Amino acid sequence: MTKTISVNLGKRSYQIIIGNKITTSLAKHIKKLGLGNDAIIITNPRVKKIAGPQLISALKKSNISCVFQTVPDSEKSKSQGIAFRLIDKISRYARLKQPFIIALGGGVVGDLAGFVASVYKRGIPYIQLPTTLLAQIDSSIGGKVGIDLTCGKNLVGAFYQPRLVFSDISFLQTLPKNEIRCGLAEAIKYGLIKDKALFEYLEKNYQKALGLDENCLEYIINKCVLIKAKIVGQDEKETKSIRTILNFGHTIGHAIEAAGGFKAYSHGQAVGLGMLAAAEISSSLGLLYNPEKTLDRIKNLLRNIGLPVKIKGLNLEKIIKAHTFDKKFIQGRNRFVLMKQIGQTLIKQNIPSGLITSAVRKLV
Ligand code: NAD
Ligand code: GLY
């Protein structure tokens, strides 16, 4: 069944439409939003092959013209070079047009395409068509768009909301199992920060999710999207310490990604490890309820899903150095999202560096 969830942000409000095999109805929504007739689809070659034909036929039926701009299939596409080459190509193509952008792909394409949309001509409309589990439950929602610098993740970017998020669950059927695992890491995050029942559901049903059971995936996506949409509606620009909790596991997670040159660990894998580090820090500070059992439950779920619970092949010092580039560092003071118990977080500043190092060391 198709579900619509709203992100309520006044004039910047938009809908997230979730359903199975719904791409045929996309053009209707584009027309309703008045986005125009010239779509620029930013994607990568793999996703173009999988989802491109369906998308072209859905748009053509409604006389929406489209061109593809493909970028390499890698986190490295979230870079200054790729972003500005894209902008250059778009500006040549769109000289006499009023285009809108379609981000077709996972979180890499979504973040990059959203960033391009936010800066080209000081902002043109874009919509998100997420095709990974991670993108359907997280990255396509909330308007955080950006690119990486070599020293750290997402350090250049903006809050720029899409006009629509359109999640066709059927696209997940071609997703490699490893990518389902990465999406499940972010789903575990939602359970840990806000929804104990979701965490328990994942403990019981992770095999179904890995087997691409559509009902199970739909359940997980709906739950996560509801949480994210509500949080973004309350704190769009992360100024009220509400949205901050969505970064649970990301401070050390981003550091692991950067320390591994954005190759050794994918975002989802790194977030899984980052959540373990955050739970360890919470335990060391005496904040975590029933710490041994809670840590075991998180570790077991990650392990069962097939996500790493140990950091291999990376240098501890490199990770610790990389984490100081995190956006949550303000004037040299760190800020961590920590856990009280499953479903409940708290934010703490000035965590002693020795404690952070020893939490990460336990994972190395
Ligand atoms: P990704 O975009 O690299 O996609 C993972 C892989 O899946 C790629 O190889 C891609 O080609 C492939 N793929 C995509 N759709 C497919 C399909 N339907 N079938 C087969 N293969 C498919 O990775 P991701 O995990 O989706 O996203 C990670 C990125 O998202 C990171 O850059 C992270 O920083 C970002 N992110 C952003 C936010 C946000 O709020 N903006 C939140 C979380 C993560
Ligand atoms: N992924 C963190 C956020 O959207 O705020």
Side-chain angles (χ1 to χ4, degrees):
M1 206 178 62
T2 304
K3 187 148 184 157
T4 302
I5 296 170
S6 297
V7 180
N8 297 315
L9 291 170
K11 279 187 192 156
R12 292 181 307 289
S13 297
Y14 54 95
Q15 292 187 324
I16 302 159
I17 296 169
I18 303 161
N20 202 357
K21 303 195 179 92
I22 54 173
T23 299
T24 44
S25 69
L26 174 65
K28 179 182 84 187
H29 296 278
I30 292 175
K31 293 275 180 195
K32 203 161 120 197
L33 287 166
L35 298 181
N37 292 318
D38 291 306
I40 297 171
I41 304 167
I42 299 181
T43 189
N44 70 34
R46 189 202 303 214
V47 180
K48 182 180 175 188
K49 205 166 162 194
I50 292 166
Q54 267 191 68
L55 184 55
I56 295 174
S57 92
L59 297 177
K60 273 203 177 142
K61 260 192 264 159
S62 296
N63 293 324
I64 297 173
S65 82
C66 56
V67 286
F68 283 89
Q69 292 291 346
T70 54
V71 297
D73 185 357
S74 151
E75 176 73 27
K76 302 245 175 208
S77 279
K78 278 173 63 176
S79 66
Q80 298 167 65
I82 301 266
F84 282 91
R85 269 201 295 280
L86 259 179
I87 292 167
D88 192 55
K89 280 189 191 161
I90 289 172
S91 65
R92 286 164 206 274
Y93 163 76
R95 204 165 50 93
L96 301 173
K97 297 185 192 310
Q98 215 181 354
F100 66 97
I101 285 176
I102 298 181
L104 175 70
V108 166
V109 160
D111 284 10
L112 170 71
F115 174 71
V116 166
S118 76
V119 290
Y120 174 61
K121 291 194 170 171
R122 299 202 180 89
I124 61 169
Y126 78 109
I127 65 175
Q128 291 273 10
L129 259 68
T131 62
T132 63
L133 179 61
L134 185 141
Q136 294 196 349
I137 67 173
D138 198 339
S139 61
S140 62
I141 305 153
K144 275 191 184 176
V145 297
I147 55 175
D148 306 326
L149 298 181
T150 43
C151 60
K153 286 265 299 180
N154 302 332
L155 291 180
V156 179
F159 288 98
Y160 190 66
Q161 301 297 338
R163 300 290 303 279
L164 173 73
V165 178
F166 194 84
S167 282
D168 189 333
I169 291 174
S170 69
F171 286 139
L172 303 184
Q173 291 301 322
T174 51
L175 208 55
K177 200 158 268 178
N178 246 345
E179 300 304 335
I180 296 287
R181 293 186 174 110
C182 293
L184 289 175
E186 293 278 10
I188 294 174
K189 175 192 80 180
Y190 286 106
L192 291 177
I193 61 172
K194 269 281 177 219
D195 191 341
K196 190 174 177 197
L198 173 62
F199 186 86
E200 287 166 355
Y201 178 88
L202 292 168
E203 286 182 312
K204 289 196 189 99
N205 293 284
Y206 68 88
Q207 278 167 323
K208 277 193 197 164
L210 288 173
L212 297 169
D213 177 296
E214 279 175 352
N215 291 332
C216 174
L217 290 173
E218 200 165 338
Y219 177 86
I220 294 169
I221 293 165
N222 283 329
K223 282 277 173 196
C224 297
V225 169
L226 273 170
I227 296 171
K228 183 149 187 184
K230 186 167 173 205
I231 290 177
V232 170
Q234 290 168 335
D235 185 14
E236 181 187 11
K237 298 202 172 155
E238 215 170 302
T239 50
K240 302 177 190 159
S241 296
I242 300 171
R243 187 167 179 168
T244 316
I245 67 169
L246 292 172
N247 298 316
F248 179 68
H250 284 58
T251 305
I252 297 300
H254 283 166
I256 292 170
E257 283 186 81
F262 301 113
K263 272 204 304 260
Y265 286 92
S266 67
H267 181 73
Q269 291 172 330
V271 166
L273 289 160
M275 291 191 293
L276 275 180
E280 285 284 359
I281 296 170
S282 315
S283 163
S284 310
L285 288 169
L287 301 168
L288 187 62
Y289 171 77
N290 209 348
E292 260 180 48
K293 187 164 178 226
T294 306
L295 273 161
D296 270 354
R297 281 179 76 183
I298 303 172
K299 215 176 273 180
N300 284 337
L301 183 53
L302 291 169
R303 200 184 282 120
N304 287 341
I305 286 172
L307 286 159
V309 293
K310 286 276 174 202
I311 305 168
K312 290 196 182 127
L314 295 188
N315 173 284
L316 177 67
E317 280 72 41
K318 223 172 160 184
I319 300 171
I320 298 301
K321 184 170 177 213
H323 102 284
T324 60
F325 284 101
D326 189 86
K327 291 192 292 306
K328 288 180 291 312
F329 266 70
I330 300 164
Q331 292 182 325
R333 278 202 311 244
N334 65 38
R335 208 153 60 107
F336 269 81
V337 186
L338 299 176
M339 274 183 79
K340 274 190 182 169
Q341 58 178 322
I342 293 175
Q344 220 183 334
T345 52
L346 77 170
I347 297 165
K348 283 266 175 205
Q349 291 193 357
N350 280 332
I351 308 294
S353 59
L355 224 145
I356 300 168
T357 307
S358 86
V360 180
R361 186 176 290 118
K362 280 192 184 162
L363 300 175
V364 175

